[in-house]
Amino acid sequence: MHFAGRTWRPPYEAHSVIIQAASGCTYHKCRFCSLYKNERFRMSPMEEFEEDLAEIKSCQPYARRIFWTGANPFAMSYENLKLRALTVRDYLIKCQTMAMFASIRDIKSKEVWQLKKLRAMGINGLSIGVESGDDQTLALADKGYTSADILEQCRKLDEAGIEYYFVYMTGLAGKDGGYRNARNSAELFSQLNPYFISVDSLTLFPDTELYQMAQKGLFVPAKEKERIRELQVFLNNLNIRTHLFADTVSNFAPVTAYLPYDREKVIHKLKYVMENTDEMEMLEYRKNLKSL
């Protein structure tokens, strides 16, 4: 198999077969991220892609879900995505879905009719690290798009019938910004149909721009209990039926919920954590995180 640079897949794709469609990221400007910092974006040549598909066929000929690696393979043109999706079908006749990371920026270049075609070919399951739906927070993180862009582009996915997943990040708005971020993000997400929402909590690593800003006093990180209160506000204001997973290592108090049914139970669980855990214990946990 051909894998170059940082190869990463989200936890919920643990049972998917992985193939490299691209490596690196097309953007490299998110202030909190260094995951693909020194990698140039590169699409895997079709020759390599087919060689990997042949190897997968020899080992797992009945694979039903394929996850294409790279920070955002959906940045490829419609024609390139179409070619690769059809090629997957040539090798893996039982494959039902092809999932991958995508950015809001990547969706802009596709028309709804193209998205519908891609969905029909099996591309279904876009992991989108929107991180926030609040314009101030998006600007602070330098995400390169606005809340209006998120709304416009994800409505295209809804129309095309493509399943997508959001990542939301508590703490990203900084000290005293969590309430605003949670309210505005929940209001925006409630106008869309993410199949589920994965919640991370901002962890500053030394090789990120946001860490350097914090060192200079240009960014003041939110404390741990403020982050939990932010998650409570976010949960309380989400008015859609969706799954929420705040159970990655970046979350001091891991919780999962099927909304709206588990809303009150999870909010009370978070309240219990805040009332019975010292802030310094939470901060020490954050400091000891070496990776996500």
Side-chain angles (χ1 to χ4, degrees):
M1 298 292 288
H2 297 87
F3 289 107
R6 187 71 64 92
T7 301
W8 190 82
R9 56 103 181 117
Y12 45 82
E13 295 291 352
H15 299 292
S16 302
V17 175
I18 296 175
I19 187 171
Q20 180 172 282
S23 57
C25 176
T26 60
Y27 189 61
H28 289 296
K29 293 180 182 179
C30 296
R31 289 194 170 113
F32 58 87
C33 180
S34 60
L35 192 59
Y36 303 96
K37 188 173 184 178
N38 298 314
E39 296 179 42
R40 296 181 62 183
F41 182 80
R42 170 184 178 268
M43 291 185 293
S44 296
M46 280 302 299
E47 180 182 357
E48 289 183 6
F49 193 70
E50 288 204 55
E51 287 176 4
D52 289 349
L53 284 171
E55 187 171 345
I56 292 171
K57 183 179 180 179
S58 69
C59 301
Q60 294 180 278
Y62 302 116
R64 292 181 175 273
R65 184 175 177 90
I66 308 293
F67 186 80
W68 299 9
T69 67
N72 55 328
F74 205 66
M76 295 183 200
S77 68
Y78 164 73
E79 291 298 335
N80 202 332
L81 289 167
K82 174 183 174 181
L83 173 62
R84 290 171 192 264
L86 293 175
T87 304
V88 169
R89 290 299 183 87
D90 289 340
Y91 284 85
L92 302 170
I93 60 172
K94 295 293 186 179
C95 182
Q96 296 177 341
T97 56
M98 290 160 257
M100 67 196 74
F101 289 118
S103 166
I104 294 299
R105 295 178 302 275
D106 304 334
I107 306 166
K108 282 187 176 183
S109 61
K110 280 84 174 175
E111 301 292 337
V112 172
W113 70 266
Q114 293 174 322
L115 294 171
K116 288 180 177 179
K117 291 280 189 181
L118 293 173
R119 172 65 182 88
M121 294 170 205
I123 291 180
N124 189 37
L126 300 183
S127 292
I128 308 174
V130 291
E131 269 72 63
S132 171
D134 170 63
D135 282 325
Q136 283 183 245
T137 307
L138 291 169
L140 172 64
D142 197 7
K143 289 298 294 181
Y145 49 77
T146 66
S147 59
D149 293 326
I150 296 173
L151 188 64
E152 180 181 3
Q153 299 309 316
C154 290
R155 278 181 170 168
K156 286 163 59 177
L157 297 180
D158 286 336
E159 185 176 348
I162 291 180
E163 188 176 285
Y164 57 94
Y165 325 122
F166 281 163
V167 177
Y168 176 79
M169 186 175 288
T170 62
L172 187 58
K175 184 176 182 295
D176 299 329
Y179 181 84
R180 183 200 70 243
N181 188 26
R183 283 291 301 268
N184 289 341
S185 297
E187 181 180 349
L188 177 70
F189 294 176
S190 295
Q191 298 176 64
L192 295 165
N193 295 288
Y195 187 72
F196 63 77
I197 299 171
S198 178
V199 179
D200 294 327
S201 190
L202 175 69
T203 304
L204 294 176
F205 295 110
D207 54 353
T208 62
E209 185 179 351
L210 206 54
Y211 176 91
Q212 299 300 326
M213 289 172 64
Q215 294 298 105
K216 297 174 183 176
L218 301 175
F219 174 74
V220 181
K223 292 185 177 181
E224 296 300 314
K225 290 192 178 182
E226 181 182 351
R227 296 166 188 239
I228 293 180
R229 283 192 292 270
E230 177 182 347
L231 181 54
Q232 286 180 309
V233 173
F234 183 66
L235 282 162
N236 210 33
N237 286 275
L238 271 173
N239 294 311
I240 50 174
R241 187 171 297 179
T242 191
H243 298 268
L244 182 136
F245 302 101
D247 56 354
T248 65
V249 69
S250 69
N251 295 281
F252 178 83
V255 293
T256 61
Y258 180 50
L259 300 174
Y261 306 106
D262 298 330
R263 189 195 320 272
E264 294 304 318
K265 180 180 70 175
V266 173
I267 287 175
H268 280 96
K269 181 179 179 180
L270 294 171
K271 182 174 183 288
Y272 178 85
V273 171
M274 283 198 296
E275 290 176 347
N276 293 275
T277 311
D278 183 73
E279 178 77 39
M280 291 306 297
E281 180 185 343
M282 295 179 176
L283 183 60
E284 192 65 24
Y285 176 85
R286 180 79 48 204
K287 286 181 177 179
N288 287 329
L289 288 177
K290 303 302 180 185
S291 67
L292 301 180

